[in-house]
Protein backbone atom coordinates (compact mmCIF):
# COMPACT_ATOMS: atom_id res chain seq x y z
CA UNK A 1 0.00 0.00 0.00
CA UNK A 2 2.81 2.42 0.87
CA UNK A 3 4.60 1.66 -2.39
CA UNK A 4 1.42 1.94 -4.46
CA UNK A 5 0.72 5.36 -2.95
CA UNK A 6 4.20 6.90 -3.03
CA UNK A 7 6.04 5.00 -5.79
CA UNK A 8 3.08 4.43 -8.14
CA UNK A 9 1.18 7.60 -7.08
CA UNK A 10 -2.19 5.88 -6.58
CA UNK A 11 -4.86 7.20 -4.20
CA UNK A 12 -6.09 4.80 -1.53
CA UNK A 13 -9.57 4.45 -3.03
CA UNK A 14 -8.03 3.20 -6.28
CA UNK A 15 -5.76 0.80 -4.40
CA UNK A 16 -8.88 -0.44 -2.58
CA UNK A 17 -10.62 -1.16 -5.90
CA UNK A 18 -7.59 -3.14 -7.06
CA UNK A 19 -7.83 -5.28 -3.91
CA UNK A 20 -11.58 -5.74 -4.46
CA UNK A 21 -10.94 -7.20 -7.91
CA UNK A 22 -8.95 -9.90 -6.12
CA UNK A 23 -11.79 -10.54 -3.68
CA UNK A 24 -10.18 -8.63 -0.80
CA UNK A 25 -12.05 -5.79 0.90
CA UNK A 26 -9.83 -3.44 2.93
CA UNK A 27 -11.51 -0.31 4.34
CA UNK A 28 -9.80 2.97 3.47
CA UNK A 29 -9.43 3.74 7.19
CA UNK A 30 -7.53 0.49 7.68
CA UNK A 31 -5.17 1.27 4.81
CA UNK A 32 -4.62 4.74 6.27
CA UNK A 33 -3.75 3.23 9.65
CA UNK A 34 -1.31 0.78 8.05
CA UNK A 35 0.32 3.56 6.04
CA UNK A 36 0.66 5.65 9.21
CA UNK A 37 2.11 2.74 11.20
CA UNK A 38 4.66 1.91 8.50
CA UNK A 39 5.81 5.53 8.26
CA UNK A 40 6.23 5.61 12.04
CA UNK A 41 8.40 2.48 11.85
CA UNK A 42 10.71 3.90 9.18
CA UNK A 43 10.86 7.40 10.68
CA UNK A 44 14.29 6.70 12.32
CA UNK A 45 15.65 6.07 8.83
CA UNK A 46 14.16 9.33 7.62
CA UNK A 47 15.75 11.23 10.51
CA UNK A 48 19.12 9.60 9.80
CA UNK A 49 18.91 10.54 6.13
CA UNK A 50 17.93 14.09 7.09
CA UNK A 51 21.05 14.40 9.26
CA UNK A 52 23.27 13.18 6.44
CA UNK A 53 21.76 15.55 3.87
CA UNK A 54 21.89 18.63 6.10
CA UNK A 55 25.42 17.69 7.16
CA UNK A 56 26.69 18.15 3.59
CA UNK A 57 28.49 21.36 2.59
CA UNK A 58 26.77 21.68 -0.79
CA UNK A 59 22.98 21.55 -1.01
CA UNK A 60 20.29 22.17 -3.59
CA UNK A 61 16.89 23.25 -2.30
CA UNK A 62 13.44 23.70 -3.82
CA UNK A 63 9.83 23.68 -2.74
CA UNK A 64 6.59 22.37 -4.22
CA UNK A 65 2.96 22.91 -3.19
CA UNK A 66 0.60 20.25 -1.88
CA UNK A 67 -3.06 20.70 -0.97
CA UNK A 68 -3.95 19.66 2.59
CA UNK A 69 -7.42 19.26 4.11
CA UNK A 70 -8.36 21.74 6.83
CA UNK A 71 -9.08 20.12 10.18
CA UNK A 72 -11.65 22.78 11.14
CA UNK A 73 -13.69 23.08 7.92
CA UNK A 74 -14.89 19.91 6.19
CA UNK A 75 -13.91 19.71 2.53
CA UNK A 76 -11.76 22.86 2.62
CA UNK A 77 -8.03 22.67 1.83
CA UNK A 78 -5.05 24.91 2.33
CA UNK A 79 -1.79 24.99 0.39
CA UNK A 80 1.17 23.49 2.19
CA UNK A 81 4.68 22.99 0.84
CA UNK A 82 7.16 20.18 0.54
CA UNK A 83 10.69 21.54 0.95
CA UNK A 84 13.17 19.28 -0.80
CA UNK A 85 16.92 19.15 -0.14
CA UNK A 86 19.43 17.28 -2.26
CA UNK A 87 23.09 16.69 -1.46
CA UNK A 88 24.51 16.21 -5.01
CA UNK A 89 27.92 14.89 -3.96
CA UNK A 90 26.44 12.25 -1.65
CA UNK A 91 23.45 11.79 -3.99
CA UNK A 92 20.96 11.95 -1.12
CA UNK A 93 17.59 13.67 -0.95
CA UNK A 94 14.90 14.30 1.64
CA UNK A 95 11.48 15.95 1.81
CA UNK A 96 10.18 18.05 4.69
CA UNK A 97 6.60 19.34 4.95
CA UNK A 98 5.52 22.76 6.20
CA UNK A 99 2.07 24.31 6.14
CA UNK A 100 3.37 27.46 4.41
CA UNK A 101 5.98 28.83 2.02
CA UNK A 102 7.50 31.35 4.43
CA UNK A 103 11.13 31.43 5.56
CA UNK A 104 10.28 29.37 8.65
CA UNK A 105 11.02 25.92 7.22
CA UNK A 106 14.28 26.64 5.32
CA UNK A 107 15.54 28.66 8.30
CA UNK A 108 14.89 25.71 10.60
CA UNK A 109 16.37 23.15 8.22
CA UNK A 110 19.51 25.19 7.50
CA UNK A 111 20.07 26.38 11.05
CA UNK A 112 23.52 24.79 11.21
CA UNK A 113 24.31 24.64 7.50
CA UNK A 114 27.70 25.81 6.30
CA UNK A 115 28.53 25.73 2.59
CA UNK A 116 27.02 26.32 -0.86
CA UNK A 117 23.24 26.55 -1.19
CA UNK A 118 21.86 26.34 -4.75
CA UNK A 119 18.26 27.25 -5.51
CA UNK A 120 15.94 29.07 -7.88
CA UNK A 121 15.21 32.78 -7.61
CA UNK A 122 12.60 32.56 -4.85
CA UNK A 123 13.20 35.50 -2.49
CA UNK A 124 13.14 33.39 0.70
CA UNK A 125 16.55 31.96 -0.20
CA UNK A 126 18.02 35.45 -0.60
CA UNK A 127 17.93 35.94 3.18
CA UNK A 128 20.81 33.46 3.49
CA UNK A 129 23.09 36.03 1.86
CA UNK A 130 23.28 37.65 5.30
CA UNK A 131 25.00 34.54 6.66
CA UNK A 132 28.73 34.64 5.79
CA UNK A 133 29.06 30.87 6.19
CA UNK A 134 26.62 30.31 3.28
CA UNK A 135 27.39 30.96 -0.40
CA UNK A 136 24.35 31.20 -2.66
CA UNK A 137 24.45 29.65 -6.12
CA UNK A 138 21.79 30.07 -8.80
CA UNK A 139 20.29 27.74 -11.39
CA UNK A 140 21.00 28.44 -15.07
CA UNK A 141 17.93 26.48 -16.19
CA UNK A 142 15.64 29.08 -14.61
CA UNK A 143 17.38 31.83 -16.60
CA UNK A 144 17.15 29.73 -19.75
CA UNK A 145 13.38 29.38 -19.35
CA UNK A 146 13.01 33.17 -19.31
CA UNK A 147 14.56 33.39 -22.78
CA UNK A 148 12.47 30.52 -24.10
CA UNK A 149 9.39 32.46 -22.99
CA UNK A 150 10.77 35.69 -24.55
CA UNK A 151 11.21 34.19 -28.02
CA UNK A 152 7.78 35.40 -29.11
CA UNK A 153 8.76 38.93 -28.05
CA UNK A 154 12.30 39.13 -29.50
CA UNK A 155 13.34 35.98 -31.30
CA UNK A 156 16.77 37.19 -32.42
CA UNK A 157 18.04 38.23 -28.99
CA UNK A 158 16.44 35.28 -27.20
CA UNK A 159 17.95 32.75 -29.61
CA UNK A 160 21.38 34.42 -29.42
CA UNK A 161 21.36 33.87 -25.65
CA UNK A 162 19.93 30.36 -25.88
CA UNK A 163 22.67 29.37 -28.33
CA UNK A 164 25.38 30.40 -25.86
CA UNK A 165 23.62 28.63 -23.01
CA UNK A 166 23.37 25.49 -25.14
CA UNK A 167 27.16 25.49 -25.52
CA UNK A 168 27.52 25.58 -21.73
CA UNK A 169 25.26 22.55 -21.47
CA UNK A 170 27.26 20.73 -24.15
CA UNK A 171 30.34 21.08 -21.94
CA UNK A 172 28.37 19.59 -19.02
CA UNK A 173 27.31 16.66 -21.20
CA UNK A 174 30.92 16.15 -22.25
CA UNK A 175 32.03 16.04 -18.61
CA UNK A 176 29.33 13.50 -17.80
CA UNK A 177 30.14 11.27 -20.77
CA UNK A 178 33.82 11.26 -19.80
CA UNK A 179 32.87 10.57 -16.17
CA UNK A 180 35.16 13.36 -14.97
CA UNK A 181 35.76 13.88 -11.26
CA UNK A 182 35.10 17.30 -9.75
CA UNK A 183 38.60 18.70 -10.29
CA UNK A 184 38.65 17.48 -13.91
CA UNK A 185 35.19 18.91 -14.52
CA UNK A 186 36.29 22.27 -13.11
CA UNK A 187 39.33 22.32 -15.42
CA UNK A 188 37.13 21.54 -18.44
CA UNK A 189 34.72 24.29 -17.46
CA UNK A 190 37.54 26.80 -17.08
CA UNK A 191 38.85 25.91 -20.52
CA UNK A 192 35.58 25.71 -22.47
CA UNK A 193 32.75 27.24 -20.43
CA UNK A 194 34.44 30.29 -18.93
CA UNK A 195 34.97 32.11 -22.29
CA UNK A 196 31.35 31.47 -23.32
CA UNK A 197 30.05 32.56 -19.92
CA UNK A 198 32.02 35.82 -20.13
CA UNK A 199 30.78 36.44 -23.68
CA UNK A 200 27.22 35.87 -22.53
CA UNK A 201 27.63 38.37 -19.69
CA UNK A 202 28.98 41.06 -22.01
CA UNK A 203 26.18 40.46 -24.51
CA UNK A 204 23.50 40.72 -21.81
CA UNK A 205 24.96 43.97 -20.41
CA UNK A 206 25.05 45.52 -23.89
CA UNK A 207 21.52 44.46 -24.86
CA UNK A 208 20.02 45.54 -21.55
CA UNK A 209 20.73 49.15 -22.56
CA UNK A 210 18.64 48.96 -25.75
CA UNK A 211 15.57 46.89 -24.80
CA UNK A 212 12.45 47.96 -22.95
CA UNK A 213 12.94 47.03 -19.26
CA UNK A 214 9.35 45.83 -18.83
CA UNK A 215 9.28 43.80 -22.05
CA UNK A 216 9.63 39.99 -21.86
CA UNK A 217 13.13 40.15 -23.36
CA UNK A 218 14.10 43.00 -21.03
CA UNK A 219 12.98 41.00 -17.99
CA UNK A 220 14.68 37.86 -19.33
CA UNK A 221 17.98 39.74 -19.68
CA UNK A 222 17.73 41.36 -16.24
CA UNK A 223 17.00 38.04 -14.50
CA UNK A 224 20.45 36.41 -14.96
CA UNK A 225 22.33 39.72 -14.70
CA UNK A 226 20.83 40.26 -11.23
CA UNK A 227 22.17 36.82 -10.24
CA UNK A 228 25.40 36.78 -12.21
CA UNK A 229 27.79 36.13 -9.31
CA UNK A 230 25.55 33.31 -8.09
CA UNK A 231 25.36 31.77 -11.57
CA UNK A 232 29.15 31.90 -11.79
CA UNK A 233 29.65 29.55 -8.81
CA UNK A 234 29.63 26.45 -11.03
CA UNK A 235 32.78 27.84 -12.69
CA UNK A 236 34.53 28.18 -9.33
CA UNK A 237 33.70 24.79 -7.76
CA UNK A 238 33.65 21.54 -9.71
CA UNK A 239 31.09 19.99 -7.35
CA UNK A 240 28.41 22.55 -8.17
CA UNK A 241 25.87 21.62 -10.83
CA UNK A 242 25.00 24.05 -13.62
CA UNK A 243 21.33 23.87 -12.58
CA UNK A 244 18.91 22.24 -10.13
CA UNK A 245 17.17 20.06 -12.73
CA UNK A 246 18.12 16.82 -11.00
CA UNK A 247 16.53 18.11 -7.81
CA UNK A 248 13.37 19.08 -9.67
CA UNK A 249 13.25 15.54 -11.08
CA UNK A 250 13.05 14.27 -7.49
CA UNK A 251 9.94 16.43 -6.96
CA UNK A 252 8.12 14.92 -9.95
CA UNK A 253 6.70 11.99 -7.95
CA UNK A 254 5.07 14.57 -5.69
CA UNK A 255 3.51 16.28 -8.72
CA UNK A 256 2.20 12.94 -10.03
CA UNK A 257 0.78 12.05 -6.64
CA UNK A 258 -0.77 15.50 -6.29
CA UNK A 259 -2.53 15.01 -9.62
CA UNK A 260 -3.87 11.58 -8.68
CA UNK A 261 -4.86 11.87 -5.03
CA UNK A 262 -5.40 15.65 -5.01
CA UNK A 263 -4.63 16.34 -1.34
CA UNK A 264 -3.26 15.06 1.97
CA UNK A 265 -5.72 14.37 4.78
CA UNK A 266 -4.04 16.74 7.26
CA UNK A 267 -0.64 18.24 8.12
CA UNK A 268 0.47 15.05 9.88
CA UNK A 269 -0.45 12.98 6.81
CA UNK A 270 1.56 15.36 4.60
CA UNK A 271 4.63 14.88 6.79
CA UNK A 272 4.19 11.11 6.55
CA UNK A 273 4.24 11.52 2.79
CA UNK A 274 7.52 13.40 3.20
CA UNK A 275 8.97 10.43 5.08
CA UNK A 276 7.89 7.93 2.44
CA UNK A 277 8.89 10.12 -0.53
CA UNK A 278 12.37 10.69 0.94
CA UNK A 279 13.14 6.99 1.21
CA UNK A 280 11.44 5.97 -2.04
CA UNK A 281 13.45 8.65 -3.89
CA UNK A 282 16.62 7.32 -2.29
CA UNK A 283 15.79 3.80 -3.51
CA UNK A 284 15.27 5.13 -7.03
CA UNK A 285 18.55 7.09 -7.00
CA UNK A 286 20.44 3.97 -5.95
CA UNK A 287 18.66 1.59 -8.37
CA UNK A 288 17.15 -0.45 -5.54
CA UNK A 289 13.84 -2.29 -5.77
CA UNK A 290 11.82 -0.39 -3.14
CA UNK A 291 9.65 -3.42 -2.33
CA UNK A 292 12.66 -5.63 -1.65
CA UNK A 293 14.28 -2.89 0.43
CA UNK A 294 11.18 -2.03 2.46
CA UNK A 295 10.32 -5.65 3.24
CA UNK A 296 13.87 -6.29 4.46
CA UNK A 297 13.98 -3.07 6.49
CA UNK A 298 10.66 -3.69 8.24
CA UNK A 299 11.94 -7.14 9.22
CA UNK A 300 15.32 -5.92 10.57
CA UNK A 301 14.66 -2.43 11.93
CA UNK A 302 12.92 -3.36 15.22
CA UNK A 303 15.99 -5.29 16.49
CA UNK A 304 18.65 -2.95 15.10
CA UNK A 305 20.59 -0.75 17.59
CA UNK A 306 19.95 2.96 17.12
CA UNK A 307 23.61 3.63 16.29
CA UNK A 308 23.37 1.26 13.29
CA UNK A 309 20.25 2.69 11.66
CA UNK A 310 22.26 4.27 8.82
CA UNK A 311 23.17 0.75 7.63
CA UNK A 312 19.62 0.35 6.35
CA UNK A 313 19.47 3.58 4.36
CA UNK A 314 19.13 2.73 0.65
CA UNK A 315 22.60 3.99 -0.32
CA UNK A 316 24.20 1.80 2.40
CA UNK A 317 21.77 -1.14 2.37
CA UNK A 318 22.79 -4.72 1.74
CA UNK A 319 20.25 -7.54 2.12
CA UNK A 320 20.85 -10.24 4.70
CA UNK A 321 22.78 -13.26 3.45
CA UNK A 322 20.45 -15.60 5.34
CA UNK A 323 16.78 -15.02 6.19
CA UNK A 324 14.57 -17.06 8.53
CA UNK A 325 12.67 -19.87 6.82
CA UNK A 326 9.28 -18.26 7.52
CA UNK A 327 10.44 -15.06 5.80
CA UNK A 328 11.49 -16.95 2.67
CA UNK A 329 8.26 -18.99 2.65
CA UNK A 330 6.12 -15.85 2.87
CA UNK A 331 8.00 -14.39 -0.11
CA UNK A 332 7.39 -17.57 -2.11
CA UNK A 333 3.72 -17.51 -1.18
Amino acid sequence: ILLSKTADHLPLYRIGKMFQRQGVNIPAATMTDWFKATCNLIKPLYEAQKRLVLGADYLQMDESPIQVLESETKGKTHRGYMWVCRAPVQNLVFFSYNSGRSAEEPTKLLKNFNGILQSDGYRVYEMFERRPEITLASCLAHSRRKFIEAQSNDKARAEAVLTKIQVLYEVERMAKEKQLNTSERLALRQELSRPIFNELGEYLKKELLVVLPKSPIGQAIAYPLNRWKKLEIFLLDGRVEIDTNLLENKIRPLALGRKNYLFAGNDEAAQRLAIAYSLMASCKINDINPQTWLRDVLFRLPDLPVNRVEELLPHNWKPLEVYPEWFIESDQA
Side-chain angles (χ1 to χ4, degrees):
I1 289 168
L2 184 143
L3 291 171
S4 294
K5 185 173 176 67
T6 58
D8 302 324
H9 326 297
L10 298 177
L12 290 181
Y13 79 87
R14 199 176 299 172
I15 298 171
K17 288 184 179 297
M18 292 167 65
F19 279 124
Q20 286 176 0
R21 286 199 295 270
Q22 300 176 58
V24 180
N25 291 305
I26 306 176
T30 300
M31 287 192 286
T32 299
D33 288 343
W34 288 347
F35 185 90
K36 179 179 179 179
T38 306
C39 287
N40 287 340
L41 284 171
I42 60 177
K43 188 175 180 181
L45 292 170
Y46 169 78
E47 295 294 342
Q49 185 151 308
K50 177 180 177 179
R51 287 193 299 271
L52 289 175
V53 172
L54 295 182
D57 59 0
Y58 166 40
L59 285 181
Q60 294 180 333
M61 196 169 188
D62 203 354
E63 75 290 333
S64 185
I66 179 172
Q67 293 300 119
V68 180
L69 281 177
E70 295 276 5
S71 55
E72 295 83 7
T73 308
K74 186 176 181 180
K76 186 178 180 182
T77 64
H78 68 270
R79 174 172 284 194
Y81 281 84
M82 288 288 187
W83 296 81
V84 189
C85 292
R86 173 177 177 252
V89 176
Q90 295 80 7
N91 208 12
L92 294 171
V93 63
F94 92 96
F95 291 67
S96 182
Y97 170 76
N98 190 272
S99 58
R101 200 187 181 196
S102 71
E104 176 188 358
E105 188 67 10
T107 299
K108 179 178 68 176
L109 292 175
L110 302 178
K111 180 181 178 182
N112 299 313
F113 178 69
N114 188 328
I116 297 173
L117 175 64
Q118 189 173 28
S119 65
D120 60 18
Y122 182 40
R123 64 182 182 276
V124 159
Y125 302 113
E126 303 298 322
M127 68 180 182
F128 292 109
E129 283 188 297
R130 299 193 293 268
R131 288 175 51 179
E133 72 275 17
I134 294 180
T135 300
L136 290 186
S138 285
C139 165
L140 187 61
H142 283 79
S143 295
R144 181 175 178 270
R145 289 169 200 164
K146 301 289 183 183
F147 288 98
I148 292 174
E149 295 166 1
Q151 283 179 297
S152 59
N153 171 244
D154 191 326
K155 187 175 182 180
R157 287 188 174 92
E159 289 190 349
V161 173
L162 290 170
T163 298
K164 293 183 184 298
I165 291 176
Q166 185 62 32
V167 176
L168 296 175
Y169 274 94
E170 289 294 341
V171 177
E172 296 304 301
R173 274 192 284 273
M174 188 186 307
K176 185 175 182 181
E177 288 171 2
K178 292 183 176 181
Q179 298 181 331
L180 302 183
N181 60 35
T182 55
S183 59
E184 292 169 337
R185 180 163 73 163
L186 180 60
L188 185 70
R189 287 170 171 175
Q190 287 294 327
E191 178 188 358
L192 302 180
S193 299
R194 170 58 78 177
I196 300 299
F197 189 80
N198 291 345
E199 285 178 21
L200 177 59
E202 292 303 314
Y203 179 81
L204 294 175
K205 290 175 186 176
K206 182 183 72 173
E207 297 304 314
L208 185 66
L209 301 175
V210 297
V211 299
L212 295 173
K214 298 294 185 182
S215 66
I217 192 65
Q219 293 181 44
I221 290 173
Y223 185 87
L225 283 178
N226 290 336
R227 298 164 174 79
W228 201 248
K229 290 294 184 183
K230 298 169 191 169
L231 286 169
E232 188 182 26
I233 299 296
F234 87 102
L235 292 172
L236 306 176
D237 190 323
R239 299 172 304 161
V240 177
E241 302 291 340
I242 195 170
D243 58 35
T244 59
N245 282 353
L246 287 176
L247 173 63
E248 293 185 16
N249 288 341
K250 308 309 173 195
I251 299 178
R252 284 182 185 173
L254 174 62
L256 291 169
R258 185 170 60 219
K259 180 179 179 182
N260 286 340
Y261 47 73
L262 303 180
F263 52 79
N266 51 46
D267 287 334
E268 290 76 17
Q271 181 54 34
R272 287 194 290 273
L273 281 174
I275 293 172
Y277 276 135
S278 297
L279 295 166
M280 293 303 100
S282 190
C283 285
K284 184 176 181 180
I285 290 170
N286 290 280
D287 295 321
I288 289 172
N289 182 326
Q291 184 164 340
T292 303
W293 173 82
L294 186 58
R295 180 163 170 74
D296 176 80
V297 163
L298 292 176
F299 168 65
R300 295 163 61 183
L301 190 58
D303 297 322
L304 197 71
V306 174
N307 61 357
R308 293 179 55 193
V309 163
E310 287 186 14
E311 294 177 14
L312 296 184
L313 290 176
H315 70 288
N316 291 329
W317 174 76
K318 290 179 174 59
L320 285 177
E321 293 183 5
V322 179
Y323 288 98
E325 188 173 333
W326 66 263
F327 189 90
I328 297 171
E329 289 175 351
S330 64
D331 263 352
Q332 292 172 343

